[in-house]
């Protein structure tokens, strides 16, 4: 976001990232290679597109690091002058209302034993009381750590591991500014995170709960986003050859994505993050242009604006669909229509939640009484 204007390039990138996350979760639930898409494009290509969606989360981390740093620089002038109280309150106002709603839905349905909402994974069934540490870990930034000890235990809740990574970044950024006081130590801290990330993933390449979900496995992507914002802030003029560089970075991102995560756990995430960072750098300050007016990319821009709500609520929609349509009963001809239905329902729910919460915020700002 640039002032009060959104950057359409960022919205498109964010829309693409959430789209591949949705496709990943649908493919894990129902499969896509045995569908008309598999016949049209080939099973190998469909699997490459559908099953590497965790790279989309890496793109989100880069965007988050970039936007939070850029907005903080614009508001306070430097990271050392961040007003921690104002920063935390702003993050809480954005994150908590839709998150609490999603957690409430999952907890209520899971507590009464609705499949895919309860604390069950495989042959294990944890009691409803496990929602206390599970939900608590989401709200206190260590759900990914809980998963590393408990394994996969709740179909809906477990996707919120990435929110814990982002929340930890939100917690640490003002503290880093307060303690380090100057930009160059923060830059060194980001460089250290970028170096540590592949090393950490290399030591845990046999366990996705660590190489994919650990703080140290993800902070390098956030750090690249932070460095991108710091570099962009110091440039007085637009980046030369921005468009060809952006296309080159986009091509690299697609190539690494299609190559896949398997066998490339160590540096695959680094290349995805670096590609996304270059796209953000070349798009810095460009609130107009071809992407802004492209009708073809309008759905991705729209999804990008809804990405947080889509992230929170799509898994609820998918869990409900899995209760209605068993995987063995979903055949070749029905997988693609079900995918379309899943995306449409997720988008409608996300849009409804966003509009409802925005309406409540506007009503509170206007001083009008909230509805009973």
């Amino acid at each position: 976001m640039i002032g009060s204007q959104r950057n359409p390039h960022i919205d498109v990138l964010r829309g693409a990232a959430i789209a591949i996350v949705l496709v990943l979760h649908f493919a894990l639930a129902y499969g896509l290679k045995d569908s008309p898409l598999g016949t049209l494009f080939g099973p190998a290509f469909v699997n490459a597109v559908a099953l590497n969606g965790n790279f989309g989360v890496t793109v989100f981390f880069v965007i988050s690091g970039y936007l939070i740093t850029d907005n903080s620089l614009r508001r306070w002038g430097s990271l050392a002058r961040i007003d921690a109280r104002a920063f935390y309150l702003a993050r809480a106002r954005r994150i908590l209302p839709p998150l609490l709603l999603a957690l409430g839905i999952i907890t209520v349905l899971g507590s009464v034993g609705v499949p895919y909402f309860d604390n069950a994974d495989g042959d294990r069934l944890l009691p409803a009381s496990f929602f206390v540490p599970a939900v608590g870990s989401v709200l206190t930034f260590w759900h990914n750590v809980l998963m590393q000890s408990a394994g996969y235990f709740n179909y809906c809740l477990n996707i919120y591991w990435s929110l814990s990574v982002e929340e930890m970044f939100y917690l640490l950024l003002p503290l880093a500014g307060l303690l380090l006081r100057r930009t160059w130590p923060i830059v060194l801290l980001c460089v250290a995170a970028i170096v540590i990330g592949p090393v950490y993933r290399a030591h845990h390449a046999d366990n996705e709960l660590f190489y994919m979900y650990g703080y140290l496995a993800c902070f390098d992507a956030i750090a690249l986003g932070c460095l991108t914002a710091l570099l962009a802030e110091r440039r007085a003029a637009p980046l030369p050859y921005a468009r060809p560089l952006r296309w080159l970075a986009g091509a690299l991102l697609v190539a690494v994505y299609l190559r896949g995560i398997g066998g490339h756990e160590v540096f695959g995430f680094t290349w995805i993050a670096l590609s996304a960072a270059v796209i953000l750098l070349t798009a810095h300050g460009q609130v107009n242009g071809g992407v802004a007016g492209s009708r073809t990319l309008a759905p991705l821009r729209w999804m990008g604006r809804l990405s947080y709500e889509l992230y929170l609520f799509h898994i609820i929609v998918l869990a409900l669909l899995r209760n209605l349509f068993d995987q063995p009963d979903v055949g070749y001809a029905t997988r693609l229509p079900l995918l379309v239905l899943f995306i449409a329902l997720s988008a409608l729910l996300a849009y409804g939640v966003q509009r409802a919460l925005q309406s409540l915020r506007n009503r509170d700002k206007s001083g009008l009484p909230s509805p009973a």
Side-chain angles (χ1 to χ4, degrees):
M1 184 149 336
I2 308 299
S4 61
Q5 292 182 292
R6 299 188 68 97
N7 188 315
H9 298 87
I10 297 175
D11 281 336
V12 167
L13 186 61
R14 191 155 39 187
I18 192 62
I20 61 178
V21 170
L22 266 62
V23 171
L24 165 68
H25 291 153
F26 181 88
L28 291 175
Y30 290 107
L32 277 176
K33 66 182 180 68
D34 297 322
S35 74
L37 292 176
T39 302
L40 186 61
F41 298 106
F45 180 78
V46 170
N47 273 345
V49 172
L51 299 181
N52 292 306
N54 276 296
F55 277 149
V57 181
T58 302
V59 173
F60 275 120
F61 289 148
V62 179
I63 293 173
S64 181
Y66 168 82
L67 284 178
I68 295 299
T69 303
D70 184 60
N71 289 339
S72 297
L73 292 172
R74 291 174 182 277
R75 181 171 182 180
W76 289 292
S78 82
L79 298 182
R81 291 200 289 269
I82 292 179
D83 182 333
R85 181 176 181 275
F87 180 91
Y88 292 143
L89 285 175
R91 289 290 83 207
R93 282 194 296 266
R94 175 68 182 106
I95 292 171
L96 285 179
L99 175 61
L100 291 174
L101 177 59
L103 291 175
I105 294 170
I106 294 167
T107 302
V108 169
L109 294 178
S111 295
V112 298
V114 178
Y116 301 107
F117 291 93
D118 55 5
N119 296 315
D121 185 61
D123 296 327
R124 294 190 311 151
L125 175 61
L126 298 174
S129 60
F130 199 73
F131 275 111
V132 174
V135 170
S137 69
V138 175
L139 296 174
T140 52
F141 327 148
W142 59 282
H143 189 71
N144 53 333
V145 177
L146 178 62
M147 288 175 63
Q148 288 172 347
S149 61
Y152 293 101
F153 64 87
N154 185 291
Y155 178 73
C156 286
L157 283 183
N158 283 162
I159 73 158
Y160 296 158
W161 69 268
S162 57
L163 185 58
S164 289
V165 173
E166 293 219 19
E167 287 171 331
M168 187 59 69
F169 163 59
Y170 301 150
L171 175 66
L172 294 177
L173 182 64
L175 298 179
L178 178 66
L179 295 174
L180 300 178
R181 304 300 301 170
R182 301 180 67 180
T183 300
W184 67 265
I186 295 176
V187 170
L188 290 180
L189 185 63
C190 289
V191 171
I194 293 168
V195 172
I196 290 171
V199 175
Y200 177 88
R201 291 192 292 269
H203 279 81
H204 299 283
D206 60 340
N207 189 334
E208 70 177 22
L209 288 170
F210 286 83
Y211 78 71
M212 200 177 289
Y213 305 153
Y215 295 122
L216 295 180
C218 304
F219 277 171
D220 57 336
I222 294 176
L224 276 167
C226 294
L227 289 181
T228 300
L230 290 169
L231 177 60
E233 188 261 345
R234 290 180 174 270
R235 292 194 58 84
L239 191 69
Y241 309 109
R243 180 171 292 183
L245 281 174
R246 187 159 56 248
W247 279 101
L248 183 62
L252 176 62
L253 190 152
V254 171
V256 175
Y257 181 91
L258 292 177
R259 185 183 64 170
I261 295 173
H264 307 287
E265 298 87 355
V266 176
F267 289 108
F269 295 95
T270 302
W271 283 112
I272 289 288
L274 184 60
S275 302
V278 173
I279 292 173
L280 293 174
L281 182 62
T282 58
H284 182 78
Q286 297 188 22
V287 297
N288 297 303
V291 167
S294 171
R295 292 185 179 181
T296 303
L297 296 175
L300 286 181
R301 289 199 305 273
W302 187 75
M303 291 181 70
R305 293 193 291 271
L306 282 174
S307 58
Y308 179 54
E309 288 79 11
L310 274 170
Y311 159 72
L312 291 177
F313 289 95
H314 82 275
I315 198 67
I316 294 175
V317 173
L318 187 56
L320 290 172
L321 288 177
R322 294 191 73 176
N323 278 281
L324 294 173
F325 305 99
D326 287 336
Q327 196 273 343
D329 297 332
V330 178
Y332 172 90
T334 53
R335 283 194 176 96
L336 192 53
L338 189 60
L339 171 63
V340 173
L341 177 65
F342 160 61
I343 293 175
L345 291 176
S346 298
L348 286 172
L349 178 58
Y351 179 73
V353 169
Q354 186 188 73
R355 288 298 299 269
L357 292 175
Q358 186 61 52
S359 177
L360 289 175
R361 293 188 194 103
N362 292 340
R363 182 168 296 189
D364 289 341
K365 288 178 183 178
S366 69
L368 295 174
S370 298

